């Protein structure tokens, strides 16, 4: 699998990364609320690593995702980079973004993931107002100085992400980019690229909403489903694998993007996705056609989605 240098860091990341929300029963509503059993996680992550993925992304609030990842693959720790997030307070009697809580959250993630260090910790959808106070950034910087974290980053979208990039405090940006969510391509990615930030893409296949002929019941899908209905890209009339391949290749064709996080409960998905990417980036004319259609159709309120 193709690997890319992660901005100015010394990480060489696979273009596909594993998203850990489904492990804890979060992410798409298709996954049962209790998450996956440990044996399923071992098979899922083992197949991902065997397929050449070397990025595992999770978060402090993905229920027991961190614990299951640690139990399943900590014995293969030298084969992957660990990304997690902090900021929310499940399990702590302190408010979100409290500096003491953030420090405890990072220490807890280390224990859960059974590791001595985290490769990247992202602040999880933190507001510009909280960022401007500087206290949350200082917590991450201290963790980096102590060797608990190698690099620090921001995960989020729209104006909050714009401030996070421009403030110059972070090594990494995680943000939404896909065929139905392109604000970041102009708003944050060029600046992040100029600053040498590593860039991770979430929701790279727009939650695969093209699967639904009609508006799905779950509100999780509604925004992207409505957007794609209006965008009506020509390739959306092809087969499911063709659409998925085009969507994934589009996200990874954006200049400055290094890895795309995909969540799944299907161990076979990794080899399937790797096959979809064998042709590399989209041809420039196809990429520009998708961008042009977005610019023609998208209203100003089609901002990046969390």
């Amino acid at each position: 699998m193709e690997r890319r240098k992660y901005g100015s860091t010394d990480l060489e990341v696979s273009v596909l990364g594993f998203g850990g929300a489904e492990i804890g029963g979060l992410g798409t509503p298709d996954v049962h609320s209790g998450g996956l059993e440990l044996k399923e996680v071992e098979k899922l992550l083992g197949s991902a690593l065997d397929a050449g993925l070397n990025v595992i992304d999770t978060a402090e609030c993905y229920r027991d995702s961190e614990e299951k990842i640690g139990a399943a693959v900590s014995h293969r720790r030298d084969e992957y980079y660990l990304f997690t997030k902090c900021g929310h307070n499940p399990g702590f009697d302190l408010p979100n973004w409290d500096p003491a809580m953030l420090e405890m959250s990072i220490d807890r993630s280390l224990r859960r993931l059974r590791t001595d260090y985290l490769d990247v910790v992202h602040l999880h959808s933190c507001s510009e107002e909280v960022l401007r106070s500087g206290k949350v950034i200082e917590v991450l910087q201290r963790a980096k100085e102590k060797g608990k974290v190698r690099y620090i980053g921001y995960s989020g979208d729209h104006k909050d992400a714009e401030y996070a990039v421009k403030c110059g405090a972070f090594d990494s940006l995680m943000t939404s980019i896909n065929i139905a969510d392109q604000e970041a391509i102009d708003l944050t990615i060029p600046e992040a690229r100029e600053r040498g930030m590593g860039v991770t893409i979430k929701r790279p296949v727009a939650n695969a909403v093209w699967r639904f002929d009609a508006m799905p019941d779950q509100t999780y899908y509604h925004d992207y489903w409505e957007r794609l209905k209006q965008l009506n890209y020509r390739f959306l009339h092809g087969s499911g694998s063709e659409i998925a391949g085009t969507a994934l290749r589009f996200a990874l064709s954006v200049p400055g993007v290094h890895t795309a996080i995909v969540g799944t409960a299907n161990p076979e998905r990794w080899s399937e996705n790797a096959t979809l990417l064998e042709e590399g980036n989209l041809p420039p004319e196809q990429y520009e056609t998708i961008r042009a259609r977005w610019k023609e159709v998208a209203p100003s309120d089609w901002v990046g989605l969390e």
Side-chain angles (χ1 to χ4, degrees), residues 41-116:
V41 177
E42 290 172 342
K43 183 177 181 181
L44 188 62
L45 288 175
S47 67
L49 295 177
D50 293 342
L53 280 78
N54 72 350
V55 175
I56 297 177
D57 173 74
T58 183
E60 86 289 27
C61 59
Y62 292 170
R63 297 179 180 166
D64 59 358
S65 174
E66 289 184 326
E67 292 100 325
K68 288 175 180 174
I69 290 169
V73 292
S74 60
H75 64 288
R76 299 179 66 172
R77 182 65 179 92
D78 61 346
E79 296 181 43
Y80 58 89
Y81 300 122
L82 265 178
F83 292 15
T84 195
K85 308 177 194 73
C86 65
H88 302 129
N89 65 350
F92 295 112
D93 190 21
L94 288 168
N96 291 345
W97 311 115
D98 180 88
M101 186 277 296
L102 284 179
E103 189 168 356
M104 288 189 289
S105 179
I106 291 171
D107 288 342
R108 184 178 66 179
S109 291
L110 289 168
R111 293 192 299 272
R112 286 173 164 181
L113 290 161
R114 304 188 188 187
T115 184
D116 296 326

Side-chain angles (χ1 to χ4, degrees), residues 230-250:
Q230 294 183 55
L231 288 162
N232 195 26
Y233 298 115
R234 222 181 242 185
F235 65 86
L236 292 175
H237 303 284
S239 68
S241 61
E242 290 171 340
I243 300 169
T246 299
L248 194 53
R249 291 171 67 200
F250 171 80

Side-chain angles (χ1 to χ4, degrees), residues 41-206:
V41 177
E42 290 172 342
K43 183 177 181 181
L44 188 62
L45 288 175
S47 67
L49 295 177
D50 293 342
L53 280 78
N54 72 350
V55 175
I56 297 177
D57 173 74
T58 183
E60 86 289 27
C61 59
Y62 292 170
R63 297 179 180 166
D64 59 358
S65 174
E66 289 184 326
E67 292 100 325
K68 288 175 180 174
I69 290 169
V73 292
S74 60
H75 64 288
R76 299 179 66 172
R77 182 65 179 92
D78 61 346
E79 296 181 43
Y80 58 89
Y81 300 122
L82 265 178
F83 292 15
T84 195
K85 308 177 194 73
C86 65
H88 302 129
N89 65 350
F92 295 112
D93 190 21
L94 288 168
N96 291 345
W97 311 115
D98 180 88
M101 186 277 296
L102 284 179
E103 189 168 356
M104 288 189 289
S105 179
I106 291 171
D107 288 342
R108 184 178 66 179
S109 291
L110 289 168
R111 293 192 299 272
R112 286 173 164 181
L113 290 161
R114 304 188 188 187
T115 184
D116 296 326
Y117 67 95
L118 300 162
D119 293 287
V120 181
V121 168
H122 290 99
L123 287 173
H124 200 177
S125 303
C126 182
S127 71
E128 179 179 341
E129 180 183 4
V130 172
L131 287 172
R132 283 186 179 276
S133 77
K135 294 180 181 179
V136 293
I137 296 174
E138 290 171 2
V139 173
L140 266 62
Q141 289 172 333
R142 286 196 299 271
K144 186 176 180 180
E145 291 167 1
K146 293 177 181 179
K148 298 177 182 180
V149 177
R150 296 179 65 194
Y151 300 105
I152 64 175
Y154 177 85
S155 175
D157 297 272
H158 198 45
K159 294 297 184 180
D160 297 328
E162 182 181 25
Y163 175 79
V165 170
K166 290 183 176 179
C167 79
F170 299 108
D171 306 302
S172 175
L173 170 69
M174 175 179 283
T175 197
S176 297
I177 290 180
N178 56 61
I179 56 175
D181 198 341
Q182 298 183 35
E183 180 190 46
I185 296 176
D186 297 313
L187 182 66
T188 54
I189 299 301
E191 182 79 14
R193 188 182 185 192
E194 186 172 329
R195 291 176 178 272
M197 296 175 70
V199 176
T200 298
I201 298 307
K202 54 191 175 75
R203 296 189 175 196
V205 292

